[in-house]
Amino acid sequence: MRIHTVSGKATLDFKDQEAVACLTSSLLFRDFQLRVHLPPGRLIPTLPLRLNYLLWIEDLISLLPVEYHENVCGVDIGTGASCIYPLIGSKKFGWKFLATEIDAENFEYARKQVQDNYLEDYIKVIKVNGVESLRNIVGNQSFTFTMCNPPFYAEDNEKQKNNRPSPRHDYGGQEMEVAVEGGEVSFVKKIVEESKFLRDQILIFTTMLGHKVSVKPVKRLCEAAGASVCTTEFCQGRTMRWGVAWTFRQIPFEKCLAVKREKPKPPMTWVVPQIRFKEKAYTVKNIDAATVNILDSLKMMIEPIRSTKYSTMYIVKANENTWVHQRRRRREEKRQKIGQQIEISKQVSVEANNYCEETDTIKVSAESNICEVMDTETGFCDSSSPAESSNFQRKRYLELETVDELDSKRIKGDDSFNYSDELELEPTHLVQFKLSVQKTRCDIVLSVTWIDGTGGIDAMNQVLVYLKRELTKNSNKQ
Ligand code: SAH
């Protein structure tokens, strides 16, 4: 087992079962003071994924009335040789477990793990035969939840049938640990059917699934049984697993929103046409300045992320739509202004009790405003120049950094920006996207990458259309 590369970096061969087993045992000991022997040839659990499943169950339990937060007991269906869920569940959360296992050898190993960790008061491992129903196993006991990491594959072994490249890891496992007749859906189907009879004894039923395609059929089975369902995704590095929970009680599952890993959206790019910049130098600096001006006029929040001679980047955010029907909006504003002035003039005139003067005033102010409206029809950022519109907070340009400095920052992993932090802080904006102006070999490219927002990607696309139009119009005028 090699743990160091020639450069001295710690590494692990995830195809080496012994190495993976050693890692899991070490982590279980380091983080939970659990002494776990993972026998060779048996399924080797990886810790982060198992912990994620338990943490999700903890979240689900938190949705129950407080009286259920104490004395939590769970059933682990198919506990495996490691008995990993009950071991962590009891050590970390103080939960009690009934752990079932069909395989005689796994059952013995699991029992030994419990004994080795002095957790007999918390975990009861029982040998089942696979024919007996969950109802029989549970008897008249009550449980807070059930959990299960079912054998993922059908018995004819999809694992080999799938023309997939060989996995980057090998968690071992005997055939009966990883495969079951009909695959995981048919395994879980039995639990769902049983759950109907256990609705008064067990509050929450859950299962993990190894294939995304299994999620829908399992969800449908639960719904057909009359249960409320919620799902989640467990993402651990390159490994994805899915969680399904169902209940026959009134539990606000909607509070445990389905977590979906969004595919990163590809950027929308636009090559700024050189021809439009004949009067101004076709440089990143000029295009960047014009872009910022337009965004300013739209009262968007612009946070600079980086700025070099060759590229600039910002996070742009808007809480309201200021780019659609801009002209109409301006016209409306003008009209309102005129209306207000007319009102004021009327009042003044009435107060002065001079009818003739009043009409004159109206005329003058109306005319001057109509002129302004006409102007804005052709103009690009009319009255709302950056200076006037700065009724919002915005950090200005960063100090210019050299490309070298930026690269060294990037190498150190310091990108000075963390999407997830942003998301947590302000989740209610209309649109948030990354905008960059970048020099390529012959052109300058403006690109936008959607981050989030209630307006969806469409909102960002509308801003891009607006930018395109205004940028080229603006450049022509200059
Ligand atoms: N929970 C462990 C093991 C999962 S592998 C982990 O997450 O690492 C699935 C386990 O279920 C295997 O140990 C297999 O022997 C067991 N099993 C298969 N069918 C079963 C059944 N009907 N009842 C109980 N255990 C079963």
Side-chain angles (χ1 to χ4, degrees):
M1 179 182 26
R2 198 166 104 199
I3 56 162
H4 285 99
T5 59
V6 258
S7 64
K9 202 176 136 200
T11 182
L12 195 85
D13 180 2
F14 281 88
K15 284 193 169 176
D16 179 347
Q17 287 184 30
E18 197 195 334
V20 182
C22 187
L23 176 69
T24 299
S25 302
S26 314
L27 292 174
L28 282 169
F29 184 68
R30 191 195 67 178
D31 297 337
F32 304 102
Q33 296 74 53
L34 285 164
R35 293 177 187 279
V36 181
H37 165 64
L38 298 169
R42 301 279 144 175
L43 189 74
I44 304 156
T46 52
L47 187 55
L49 202 69
R50 302 303 192 283
L51 195 55
N52 270 348
Y53 185 10
L54 285 164
L55 289 167
W56 183 53
I57 292 177
E58 190 197 25
D59 285 349
L60 295 172
I61 292 171
S62 72
L63 302 176
L64 295 169
V66 277
E67 61 265 31
Y68 294 110
H69 297 181
E70 298 284 310
N71 303 318
V72 173
C73 321
V75 183
D76 179 23
I77 302 167
T79 201
S82 63
C83 196
I84 189 150
Y85 291 124
L87 289 183
I88 304 176
S90 55
K91 265 277 175 166
K92 183 169 165 59
F93 305 108
W95 299 341
K96 291 194 170 173
F97 279 89
L98 174 68
T100 74
E101 180 52 55
I102 197 172
D103 178 71
E105 227 173 296
N106 280 355
F107 164 70
E108 288 302 338
Y109 280 122
R111 250 193 358 184
K112 178 105 180 24
Q113 314 283 16
V114 177
Q115 281 166 8
D116 289 350
N117 290 284
Y118 310 105
L119 287 167
E120 294 97 325
D121 288 346
Y122 283 84
I123 305 166
K124 185 176 174 196
V125 186
I126 57 165
K127 166 85 176 66
V128 293
N129 58 22
V131 181
E132 143 188 56
S133 68
L134 190 61
R135 261 173 292 170
N136 273 354
I137 296 164
V138 165
N140 55 8
Q141 303 170 81
S142 293
F143 290 92
T144 318
F145 67 91
T146 68
M147 67 187 306
C148 176
N149 184 9
F152 292 151
Y153 301 101
E155 258 177 349
D156 52 353
N157 212 344
E158 306 153 35
K159 211 177 173 184
Q160 276 136 40
K161 257 192 341 191
N162 290 344
N163 282 331
R164 289 186 170 187
S166 69
R168 292 164 160 262
H169 43 67
D170 186 354
Y171 305 137
Q174 303 287 310
E175 176 76 7
M176 86 302 167
E177 289 184 288
V178 294
V180 67
E181 198 186 339
E184 59 184 357
V185 175
S186 95
F187 192 92
V188 175
K189 189 177 176 196
K190 286 185 199 144
I191 307 178
V192 175
E193 276 161 13
E194 287 286 308
S195 70
K196 287 192 270 185
F197 302 99
L198 291 164
R199 55 197 301 159
D200 296 327
Q201 284 163 264
I202 299 175
L203 300 172
I204 304 168
F205 300 85
T206 75
T207 188
M208 190 191 259
L209 293 169
H211 304 297
K212 191 176 182 183
V213 288
S214 307
V215 177
K216 258 195 191 156
V218 168
K219 237 182 121 180
R220 278 200 207 112
L221 287 168
C222 300
E223 281 161 356
S228 331
V229 192
C230 77
T231 60
T232 194
E233 283 181 356
F234 305 111
C235 322
Q236 213 62 59
R238 289 166 191 273
T239 309
M240 284 289 288
R241 295 284 181 259
W242 292 263
V244 180
W246 68 100
T247 184
F248 298 92
R249 306 292 183 102
Q250 294 290 319
I251 301 175
F253 270 172
E254 66 284 355
K255 286 192 184 160
C256 242
L257 284 180
V259 179
K260 274 211 152 238
R261 189 169 63 167
E262 293 280 346
K263 272 196 193 145
K265 300 271 186 288
M268 305 279 295
T269 57
W270 175 57
V271 177
V272 184
Q274 239 179 92
I275 190 111
R276 311 279 181 105
F277 277 81
K278 55 186 177 232
E279 286 174 43
K280 261 213 158 190
Y282 186 73
T283 61
V284 166
K285 195 175 164 213
N286 287 341
I287 293 169
D288 172 75
T291 308
V292 169
N293 246 354
I294 298 165
L295 295 172
D296 260 347
S297 74
L298 290 174
K299 300 183 166 61
M300 297 186 87
M301 288 162 271
I302 315 163
E303 181 172 355
I305 298 301
R306 84 165 167 249
S307 176
T308 72
K309 198 173 166 192
Y310 304 106
S311 78
T312 56
M313 188 190 281
Y314 304 88
I315 297 301
V316 181
K317 204 191 278 188
N319 291 329
E320 56 171 327
N321 186 327
T322 49
W323 50 89
V324 165
H325 305 312
Q326 265 293 313
R327 290 185 197 178
R328 201 188 301 165
R329 253 173 232 254
R330 282 189 225 122
R331 242 178 282 146
E332 280 300 317
E333 276 172 23
K334 299 294 169 196
R335 268 193 210 114
Q336 275 173 14
K337 250 194 214 166
I338 296 168
Q340 279 166 8
Q341 285 182 7
I342 290 171
E343 271 307 308
I344 292 165
S345 305
K346 269 184 185 166
Q347 281 169 15
V348 170
S349 308
V350 168
E351 273 167 28
N353 203 15
N354 186 336
Y355 180 73
C356 295
E357 267 180 33
E358 182 200 333
T359 7
D360 282 345
T361 323
I362 294 168
K363 242 188 193 166
V364 172
S365 66
E367 270 166 14
S368 62
N369 277 292
I370 286 161
C371 289
E372 257 187 75
V373 175
M374 300 289 273
D375 265 359
T376 60
E377 284 297 337
T378 49
F380 145 76
C381 1
D382 59 327
S383 56
S384 44
S385 71
E388 283 172 61
S389 65
S390 56
N391 58 345
F392 59 97
Q393 290 293 313
R394 179 163 76 71
K395 290 179 217 152
R396 261 291 174 189
Y397 283 91
L398 293 176
E399 288 294 308
L400 277 189
E401 286 174 296
T402 64
V403 176
D404 281 354
E405 272 172 342
L406 275 166
D407 282 347
S408 69
K409 262 188 159 190
R410 237 174 277 139
I411 289 162
K412 283 187 225 141
D414 176 9
D415 221 349
S416 318
F417 176 66
N418 182 340
Y419 286 1
S420 54
D421 285 351
E422 281 281 302
L423 296 184
E424 277 170 30
L425 285 172
E426 287 170 79
T428 53
H429 37 258
L430 178 66
V431 67
Q432 179 173 224
F433 58 90
K434 194 169 76 178
L435 178 139
S436 70
V437 179
Q438 212 159 5
K439 172 114 187 67
T440 63
R441 227 158 63 91
C442 321
D443 296 303
I444 293 167
V445 177
L446 195 141
S447 62
V448 288
T449 313
W450 193 74
I451 298 174
D452 64 359
T454 51
I457 201 162
D458 278 354
M460 179 195 77
N461 292 342
Q462 287 165 4
V463 178
L464 180 62
V465 169
Y466 187 88
L467 277 175
K468 282 182 188 180
R469 199 179 55 225
E470 298 297 334
L471 261 179
T472 46
K473 209 198 289 178
N474 192 29
S475 316
N476 276 342
K477 268 174 52 168
Q478 283 169 351

Short mmCIF file of all heavy atoms in Angstrom, two decimals, residues 303-327:
data_model
loop_
_atom_site.label_atom_id
_atom_site.label_comp_id
_atom_site.label_asym_id
_atom_site.label_seq_id
_atom_site.Cartn_x
_atom_site.Cartn_y
_atom_site.Cartn_z
N GLU A 303 -19.75 43.76 -8.37
CA GLU A 303 -18.61 43.53 -7.47
C GLU A 303 -17.42 43.06 -8.28
O GLU A 303 -17.45 41.99 -8.90
CB GLU A 303 -18.97 42.47 -6.42
CG GLU A 303 -17.81 42.27 -5.50
CD GLU A 303 -18.15 41.37 -4.32
OE1 GLU A 303 -19.32 40.99 -4.18
OE2 GLU A 303 -17.23 41.07 -3.57
N PRO A 304 -16.35 43.85 -8.30
CA PRO A 304 -15.19 43.44 -9.08
C PRO A 304 -14.50 42.23 -8.45
O PRO A 304 -14.34 42.17 -7.24
CB PRO A 304 -14.26 44.65 -9.03
CG PRO A 304 -14.99 45.70 -8.33
CD PRO A 304 -16.13 45.11 -7.59
N ILE A 305 -14.14 41.30 -9.27
CA ILE A 305 -13.45 40.11 -8.79
C ILE A 305 -11.99 40.17 -9.22
O ILE A 305 -11.10 39.84 -8.47
CB ILE A 305 -14.10 38.83 -9.35
CG1 ILE A 305 -15.55 38.72 -8.85
CG2 ILE A 305 -13.33 37.57 -8.97
CD1 ILE A 305 -15.70 38.71 -7.36
N ARG A 306 -11.78 40.57 -10.46
CA ARG A 306 -10.39 40.78 -10.86
C ARG A 306 -10.33 41.74 -12.03
O ARG A 306 -11.31 41.93 -12.75
CB ARG A 306 -9.72 39.43 -11.18
CG ARG A 306 -9.96 38.93 -12.53
CD ARG A 306 -8.97 37.82 -12.87
NE ARG A 306 -9.46 37.19 -14.06
CZ ARG A 306 -9.94 35.96 -14.11
NH1 ARG A 306 -9.98 35.23 -13.03
NH2 ARG A 306 -10.38 35.48 -15.23
N SER A 307 -9.17 42.36 -12.15
CA SER A 307 -9.01 43.32 -13.22
C SER A 307 -7.55 43.35 -13.65
O SER A 307 -6.68 43.69 -12.86
CB SER A 307 -9.45 44.70 -12.69
OG SER A 307 -9.22 45.66 -13.68
N THR A 308 -7.30 42.93 -14.86
CA THR A 308 -5.94 43.00 -15.41
C THR A 308 -6.06 43.68 -16.77
O THR A 308 -7.16 43.99 -17.23
CB THR A 308 -5.31 41.60 -15.59
OG1 THR A 308 -5.95 40.97 -16.70
CG2 THR A 308 -5.46 40.75 -14.35
N LYS A 309 -4.92 43.81 -17.40
CA LYS A 309 -4.92 44.44 -18.72
C LYS A 309 -5.68 43.57 -19.72
O LYS A 309 -6.25 44.05 -20.69
CB LYS A 309 -3.46 44.58 -19.15
CG LYS A 309 -3.24 45.55 -20.26
CD LYS A 309 -1.75 45.72 -20.48
CE LYS A 309 -1.52 46.44 -21.81
NZ LYS A 309 -0.13 46.39 -22.21
N TYR A 310 -5.71 42.27 -19.46
CA TYR A 310 -6.27 41.34 -20.44
C TYR A 310 -7.65 40.79 -20.07
O TYR A 310 -8.33 40.23 -20.91
CB TYR A 310 -5.31 40.17 -20.67
CG TYR A 310 -3.95 40.66 -21.10
CD1 TYR A 310 -2.88 40.64 -20.22
CD2 TYR A 310 -3.77 41.18 -22.38
CE1 TYR A 310 -1.64 41.12 -20.61
CE2 TYR A 310 -2.54 41.68 -22.76
CZ TYR A 310 -1.47 41.65 -21.89
OH TYR A 310 -0.27 42.13 -22.27
N SER A 311 -8.01 40.93 -18.84
CA SER A 311 -9.35 40.44 -18.50
C SER A 311 -9.87 41.10 -17.22
O SER A 311 -9.10 41.44 -16.33
CB SER A 311 -9.34 38.92 -18.34
OG SER A 311 -8.80 38.58 -17.10
N THR A 312 -11.18 41.26 -17.19
CA THR A 312 -11.80 41.77 -15.97
C THR A 312 -12.96 40.83 -15.64
O THR A 312 -13.51 40.19 -16.53
CB THR A 312 -12.37 43.19 -16.16
OG1 THR A 312 -13.29 43.15 -17.25
CG2 THR A 312 -11.30 44.19 -16.43
N MET A 313 -13.25 40.76 -14.38
CA MET A 313 -14.36 39.89 -13.99
C MET A 313 -15.14 40.52 -12.84
O MET A 313 -14.56 41.13 -11.95
CB MET A 313 -13.81 38.53 -13.55
CG MET A 313 -14.91 37.52 -13.31
SD MET A 313 -14.29 36.05 -12.55
CE MET A 313 -13.59 35.23 -13.94
N TYR A 314 -16.45 40.34 -12.90
CA TYR A 314 -17.34 40.89 -11.87
C TYR A 314 -18.42 39.88 -11.50
O TYR A 314 -18.74 39.01 -12.30
CB TYR A 314 -18.10 42.13 -12.39
CG TYR A 314 -17.21 43.21 -12.91
CD1 TYR A 314 -16.81 43.21 -14.24
CD2 TYR A 314 -16.78 44.22 -12.07
CE1 TYR A 314 -15.98 44.20 -14.72
CE2 TYR A 314 -15.96 45.22 -12.55
CZ TYR A 314 -15.55 45.21 -13.87
OH TYR A 314 -14.74 46.18 -14.34
N ILE A 315 -18.97 40.10 -10.34
CA ILE A 315 -20.22 39.43 -10.01
C ILE A 315 -21.27 40.53 -10.10
O ILE A 315 -21.14 41.57 -9.45
CB ILE A 315 -20.20 38.82 -8.59
CG1 ILE A 315 -19.14 37.75 -8.48
CG2 ILE A 315 -21.57 38.24 -8.24
CD1 ILE A 315 -19.29 36.59 -9.46
N VAL A 316 -22.25 40.30 -10.93
CA VAL A 316 -23.28 41.30 -11.15
C VAL A 316 -24.59 40.79 -10.54
O VAL A 316 -24.94 39.62 -10.71
CB VAL A 316 -23.47 41.54 -12.67
CG1 VAL A 316 -24.52 42.62 -12.91
CG2 VAL A 316 -22.14 41.94 -13.30
N LYS A 317 -25.24 41.66 -9.85
CA LYS A 317 -26.46 41.24 -9.16
C LYS A 317 -27.55 42.29 -9.32
O LYS A 317 -27.26 43.48 -9.33
CB LYS A 317 -26.12 41.08 -7.68
CG LYS A 317 -27.04 40.15 -6.93
CD LYS A 317 -26.81 40.25 -5.46
CE LYS A 317 -25.65 39.45 -4.93
NZ LYS A 317 -25.60 39.43 -3.46
N ALA A 318 -28.79 41.83 -9.45
CA ALA A 318 -29.91 42.78 -9.51
C ALA A 318 -31.05 42.26 -8.66
O ALA A 318 -31.30 41.05 -8.63
CB ALA A 318 -30.39 42.93 -10.94
N ASN A 319 -31.68 43.18 -7.98
CA ASN A 319 -32.85 42.77 -7.18
C ASN A 319 -34.15 43.04 -7.90
O ASN A 319 -35.20 42.54 -7.53
CB ASN A 319 -32.86 43.50 -5.83
CG ASN A 319 -31.73 43.00 -4.95
OD1 ASN A 319 -31.33 41.83 -5.04
ND2 ASN A 319 -31.20 43.87 -4.12
N GLU A 320 -34.06 43.88 -8.96
CA GLU A 320 -35.28 44.13 -9.74
C GLU A 320 -34.92 44.26 -11.21
O GLU A 320 -33.76 44.53 -11.55
CB GLU A 320 -35.99 45.40 -9.25
CG GLU A 320 -35.09 46.61 -9.30
CD GLU A 320 -35.85 47.90 -9.03
OE1 GLU A 320 -37.03 47.98 -9.41
OE2 GLU A 320 -35.26 48.81 -8.46
N ASN A 321 -35.90 44.07 -12.06
CA ASN A 321 -35.66 44.13 -13.50
C ASN A 321 -35.67 45.58 -13.96
O ASN A 321 -36.69 46.25 -13.94
CB ASN A 321 -36.77 43.33 -14.22
CG ASN A 321 -36.49 43.24 -15.69
OD1 ASN A 321 -35.93 44.15 -16.29
ND2 ASN A 321 -36.87 42.12 -16.28
N THR A 322 -34.48 46.02 -14.38
CA THR A 322 -34.37 47.42 -14.83
C THR A 322 -34.02 47.48 -16.31
O THR A 322 -33.76 48.54 -16.85
CB THR A 322 -33.26 48.14 -14.04
OG1 THR A 322 -32.10 47.30 -14.08
CG2 THR A 322 -33.65 48.42 -12.62
N TRP A 323 -33.96 46.31 -16.97
CA TRP A 323 -33.48 46.30 -18.35
C TRP A 323 -34.57 46.02 -19.39
O TRP A 323 -34.39 46.32 -20.56
CB TRP A 323 -32.36 45.27 -18.51
CG TRP A 323 -32.73 43.93 -17.95
CD1 TRP A 323 -33.34 42.91 -18.58
CD2 TRP A 323 -32.51 43.49 -16.60
NE1 TRP A 323 -33.54 41.85 -17.73
CE2 TRP A 323 -33.04 42.18 -16.50
CE3 TRP A 323 -31.94 44.07 -15.46
CZ2 TRP A 323 -32.99 41.44 -15.33
CZ3 TRP A 323 -31.91 43.33 -14.29
CH2 TRP A 323 -32.42 42.05 -14.24
N VAL A 324 -35.69 45.47 -18.95
CA VAL A 324 -36.75 45.21 -19.92
C VAL A 324 -37.62 46.46 -20.01
O VAL A 324 -37.92 47.09 -19.00
CB VAL A 324 -37.57 43.97 -19.50
CG1 VAL A 324 -38.87 43.89 -20.27
CG2 VAL A 324 -36.76 42.71 -19.75
N HIS A 325 -37.99 46.80 -21.25
CA HIS A 325 -38.83 47.97 -21.51
C HIS A 325 -38.23 49.24 -20.92
O HIS A 325 -38.91 50.05 -20.31
CB HIS A 325 -40.25 47.78 -20.94
CG HIS A 325 -40.91 46.54 -21.43
ND1 HIS A 325 -40.93 46.19 -22.76
CD2 HIS A 325 -41.55 45.55 -20.75
CE1 HIS A 325 -41.57 45.03 -22.88
NE2 HIS A 325 -41.94 44.62 -21.69
N GLN A 326 -36.94 49.37 -21.09
CA GLN A 326 -36.24 50.55 -20.58
C GLN A 326 -36.84 51.84 -21.12
O GLN A 326 -37.11 52.76 -20.38
CB GLN A 326 -34.77 50.49 -20.99
CG GLN A 326 -33.88 49.92 -19.92
CD GLN A 326 -33.80 50.83 -18.72
OE1 GLN A 326 -33.61 52.03 -18.84
NE2 GLN A 326 -33.99 50.25 -17.54
N ARG A 327 -37.04 51.84 -22.47
CA ARG A 327 -37.56 53.08 -23.07
C ARG A 327 -38.94 53.40 -22.53
O ARG A 327 -39.23 54.53 -22.17
CB ARG A 327 -37.66 52.92 -24.58
CG ARG A 327 -36.32 52.87 -25.24
CD ARG A 327 -36.58 52.85 -26.68
NE ARG A 327 -35.43 52.41 -27.42
CZ ARG A 327 -35.44 52.28 -28.72
NH1 ARG A 327 -36.52 52.51 -29.40
NH2 ARG A 327 -34.36 51.89 -29.35
#
